[in-house]
């Protein structure tokens, strides 16, 4: 595949770049009126995720309307629990909800299935990637993704969002054997799912460990990092990004993994992280998503300050977490323009 713009891939591999690539986590959906128009014509979020032509359309919208240097496939991390036998609902203004959860060995047998073909249950993601890839026609790389096993575990045990995920963390103390069994199963399915995405055209894979930061260092090593490493080891042929949100203490170990890029949230200082992890990884991030609520002028300054603080060119610019739904797309454009105009 010849790309018109492959900055993202060159930056991920540590190759020479003429400027920093920029994209935003959660850029597909949420902020664009063009997304809401498509979304409002449907029964809900799931219908959009499961309709490949429309998922492809909203995947490409940020490339057209914001000018980002990458597309990320429109889907959700929760398609994995569903494929394993734990159906989710996306409740308007609330978030994900699972009627059943995994609390016992019996639940695991019923709702922690691995004995299925991912193309049968998640073929709609494959198709969405294929359509997107074709329609992008090499304009920018296409990012595939999955949730990290620990984050998926959180939803499968807890049954929805939570500030503490104390049900999920409880299992680590009360039944670590069951926890590892579930994590192993999620990991196995996720690896097959990500390989399917690469075959379907994903040019880079990002693994989102959104709840990494709620575990202590030792527990994250045992229940989080171990499984992130298995995924990074298994994915071949495309660069891999590991984003362990809030897991500052895990970074030196994460840097030993088989990934190209480490995602940073906004609590982390890029220059400090560079000292911790050395020169062999690309860093991605990490402007505070709330910074996009300030004025255009101030966004420009904050972005420049961040870029000035980078100690090397091995960076992909992003926010420190997903863009918030009520951010003005024009503010996002200012952020993107500032990065594109910046001389490195
Ligand atoms: O990044 C992208 O633009 C691609 C699409 C994408 C979505 N979800 C679409 C989505 C991606 C990469 C995700 C990942 C995801 N989903 C994560 C990891 C990243 C992170 O933010 O930490 C997590 C934890 C989830 C679970 C999830 N999905 C929650 C908690 C919610 C509800 C709150 C919210 O984010 O709006 C979702 C729903 C969801 N996933 C929406 C979108 C566009 C909003 C649903 C809608 O349009 O009604």
């Amino acid at each position: 595949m010849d790309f018109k713009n492959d900055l993202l891939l060159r930056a991920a591999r540590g190759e020479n770049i003429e400027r920093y690539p920029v994209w935003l986590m959660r850029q597909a959906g949420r902020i664009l009126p063009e997304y809401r128009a498509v979304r409002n014509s449907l029964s809900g979020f799931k219908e959009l995720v499961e309709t490949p032509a429309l998922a492809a359309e909203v995947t490409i919208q940020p490339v057209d309307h914001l000018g980002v240097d990458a597309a990320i496939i429109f889907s959700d991390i929760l398609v994995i629990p569903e494929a394993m036998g734990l159906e989710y609902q996306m409740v308007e203004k609330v978030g994900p909800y699972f009627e059943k959860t995994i609390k016992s060995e019996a639940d695991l047998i019923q709702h922690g299935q691995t004995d299925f073909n991912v193309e049968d249950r998640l073929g709609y993601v494959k198709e969405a990637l294929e359509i997107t890839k074709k329609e992008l026609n090499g304009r920018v790389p296409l990012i595939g993704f999955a949730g990290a096993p620990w984050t998926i575990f959180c939803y499968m045990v807890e049954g929805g969002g939570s500030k503490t995920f104390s049900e999920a963390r409880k299992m680590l103390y009360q039944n670590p054997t069951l926890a590892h069994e579930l994590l192993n199963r999620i990991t196995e399915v996720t690896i097959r799912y990500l390989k399917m995405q690469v075959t379907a055209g994903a040019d880079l894979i990002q693994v989102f460990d959104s709840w990494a930061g709620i575990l202590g260092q030792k527990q994250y090593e045992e229940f989080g990092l171990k499984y992130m490493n298995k995924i990074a080891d298994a994915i071949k042929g495309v660069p891999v990004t590991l984003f362990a949100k809030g897991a500052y203490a895990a970074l030196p170990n994460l840097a030993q993994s088989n990934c190209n890029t480490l995602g940073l949230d906004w609590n982390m200082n890029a220059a400090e992280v560079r000292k911790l992890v050395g020169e062999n990884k690309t860093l991605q991030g990490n402007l505070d998503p709330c910074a996009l609520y300030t004025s255009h002028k101030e966004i420009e300054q904050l972005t420049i300050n961040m870029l000035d603080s980078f100690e090397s060119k091995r960076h992909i610019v992003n926010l420190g977490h997903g863009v918030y739904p009520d951010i003005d797309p024009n503010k996002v454009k200012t952020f993107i323009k500032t990065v594109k105009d910046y001389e490195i």
Side-chain angles (χ1 to χ4, degrees):
M1 161 65 68
D2 280 337
F3 283 105
K4 292 178 190 76
N5 171 353
D6 66 347
L7 273 173
L8 178 88
L9 303 177
R10 279 189 275 140
R13 296 193 200 104
E15 294 168 12
N16 200 36
I17 47 172
E18 51 283 4
R19 65 167 174 83
Y20 293 122
V22 55
W23 67 283
L24 283 82
M25 290 186 277
R26 313 298 295 273
Q27 68 188 19
R30 287 194 154 180
I31 58 164
L32 289 176
E34 293 82 1
Y35 166 76
R36 291 210 192 92
V38 176
R39 169 82 168 68
N40 290 338
S41 70
L42 302 169
S43 62
F45 173 73
K46 282 183 85 169
E47 188 183 351
L48 182 48
V49 166
E50 291 163 16
T51 308
L54 294 177
E57 182 181 334
V58 300
T59 298
I60 297 172
Q61 283 174 348
V63 181
D64 288 336
H65 300 291
L66 301 172
V68 283
D69 293 310
I72 178 162
I73 192 68
F74 186 81
S75 186
D76 200 82
I77 63 169
L78 302 176
V79 301
I80 285 291
E82 185 156 275
M84 294 174 75
L86 203 65
E87 203 185 314
Y88 75 95
Q89 292 165 39
M90 197 58 80
V91 185
E92 210 63 41
K93 298 201 166 61
V94 178
Y97 171 72
F98 291 86
E99 208 176 296
K100 307 237 166 58
T101 56
I102 297 196
K103 298 286 196 305
S104 67
E105 308 287 344
D107 296 333
L108 183 73
I109 290 163
Q110 220 184 332
H111 306 294
Q113 303 161 23
T114 58
D115 187 16
F116 61 88
N117 184 338
V118 285
E119 297 205 9
D120 289 343
R121 295 196 186 172
L122 295 163
Y124 56 87
V125 181
K126 182 175 183 232
E127 240 183 278
L129 284 157
E130 286 167 348
I131 298 171
T132 307
K133 190 74 188 157
K134 199 159 159 238
E135 290 182 356
L136 275 175
N137 196 22
R139 277 203 285 164
V140 291
L142 175 57
I143 301 172
F145 72 90
W150 162 247
T151 288
I152 297 299
F153 174 98
C154 283
Y155 286 102
M156 292 179 85
V157 176
E158 200 83 23
S162 162
K163 281 205 174 74
T164 58
F165 283 98
S166 54
E167 286 292 316
R169 290 192 291 126
K170 181 161 92 183
M171 194 193 287
L172 307 187
Y173 292 96
Q174 291 193 340
N175 196 345
T177 309
L178 179 63
H180 277 300
E181 181 57 30
L182 177 54
L183 286 162
N184 264 311
R185 288 179 180 219
I186 297 167
T187 304
E188 196 204 303
V189 173
T190 301
I191 288 171
R192 283 192 271 137
Y193 174 57
L194 289 173
K195 285 185 171 171
M196 178 190 82
Q197 292 192 36
V198 173
T199 307
D203 301 299
L204 180 150
I205 291 295
Q206 174 154 330
V207 185
F208 288 90
D209 212 349
S210 306
W211 303 113
I214 62 174
L215 292 182
Q217 187 177 0
K218 282 273 164 282
Q219 273 194 333
Y220 188 65
E221 278 169 20
E222 182 181 349
F223 296 99
L225 192 57
K226 180 178 161 194
Y227 298 98
M228 288 279 251
N229 277 330
K230 284 192 184 192
I231 293 174
D233 286 341
I235 303 305
K236 310 264 186 261
V238 299
V240 173
T241 300
L242 299 180
F243 176 47
K245 187 176 177 300
Y248 189 81
L251 279 170
N253 284 334
L254 267 170
Q256 302 304 311
S257 76
N258 238 327
C259 73
N260 304 70
T261 302
L262 295 172
L264 306 183
D265 69 56
W266 69 96
N267 297 135
M268 302 175 185
N269 177 291
E272 293 293 322
V273 174
R274 179 60 73 199
K275 284 189 205 114
L276 275 179
V277 308
E279 296 298 321
N280 289 330
K281 299 289 179 203
T282 301
L283 301 178
Q284 175 174 276
N286 65 339
L287 190 74
D288 179 358
C290 269
L292 300 184
Y293 288 117
T294 187
S295 66
H296 289 278
K297 207 167 173 308
E298 182 78 5
I299 290 170
E300 194 182 321
Q301 195 52 57
L302 291 169
T303 305
I304 289 172
N305 292 349
M306 173 180 73
L307 301 175
D308 282 346
S309 80
F310 290 169
E311 301 244 308
S312 83
K313 284 194 192 177
R314 269 200 92 164
H315 282 270
I316 295 166
V317 178
N318 206 308
L319 302 178
H321 198 196
V323 60
Y324 297 139
D326 61 344
I327 293 290
D328 174 357
N330 288 318
K331 299 286 178 72
V332 175
K333 285 185 194 166
T334 296
F335 169 62
I336 290 169
K337 183 175 186 310
T338 309
V339 179
K340 287 186 169 178
D341 289 347
Y342 186 86
E343 283 186 38
I344 60 175

